Amino acid sequence: MPPADPPPPADALPPGLPAAPADARSAPSPVPSPRPAPQGDVPASRPTPDADVPSPRSGSAGARATAGGDELTERERSILAFEQQWWRHAGAKEQAIRDTFGLSATRYYQVLNALLDRPAALVAEPLLIGRLRRLRASRARNRRR
């Protein structure tokens, strides 16, 4: 059996892809990288699950109390930056949600939906929030039909 070629240096790989292990046949394939957001960065450190996210049953008053008035938390800003990315493959976004935020996709979308109703989010990212609100309204109309 011929020896395996060594993995390419980390500099030769496209950004966002980890270096391949020596035995790439046994390792799972990595999730494709999304197109980067036009502005803002997602923090490199992985936050703890539900660290500063109120329960969906606590209502919007509880969400504003934990967020310090109308200010967005770092996690909320990172969710908005994450939503600006473009996903090419089915399932890649859900895997990235689990990897980045430590949340299930369902919980992530609950948090995002509550964030869409925050005036501070509209001030921070007006185009993104407007687009996501239109998508939400369109889906609600389709459900009523």
Side-chain angles (χ1 to χ4, degrees):
M1 179 173 209
D5 293 331
D11 300 353
L13 293 175
L17 288 180
D23 186 14
R25 290 174 290 172
S26 64
S29 62
V31 174
S33 298
R35 190 177 92 196
Q39 59 185 349
D41 295 328
V42 176
S45 64
R46 182 175 174 180
T48 58
D50 297 333
D52 55 4
V53 179
S55 166
R57 297 172 198 256
S58 65
S60 61
R64 288 193 183 108
T66 60
D70 282 339
E71 297 287 322
L72 293 178
T73 64
E74 185 62 34
R75 183 179 185 122
E76 291 169 336
R77 284 190 293 274
S78 66
I79 287 174
L80 292 177
F82 185 82
E83 270 305 305
Q84 289 179 336
Q85 296 176 356
W86 189 278
W87 302 93
R88 295 181 187 171
H89 304 287
K93 184 175 182 181
E94 286 74 17
Q95 182 63 45
I97 288 169
R98 283 189 292 276
D99 294 343
T100 305
F101 299 107
L103 299 172
S104 68
T106 302
R107 180 68 178 133
Y108 170 82
Y109 286 112
Q110 288 172 342
V111 172
L112 178 63
N113 194 39
L115 189 56
L116 293 181
D117 296 327
R118 300 269 313 277
L122 183 62
V123 170
E125 295 290 343
L127 295 176
L128 174 68
I129 297 299
R131 180 175 59 85
L132 293 174
R133 283 180 177 178
R134 284 190 304 275
L135 282 170
R136 180 176 66 176
S138 172
R139 290 178 182 134
R141 278 192 305 272
N142 289 338
R143 281 193 301 270
R144 286 186 288 236
R145 290 182 185 178

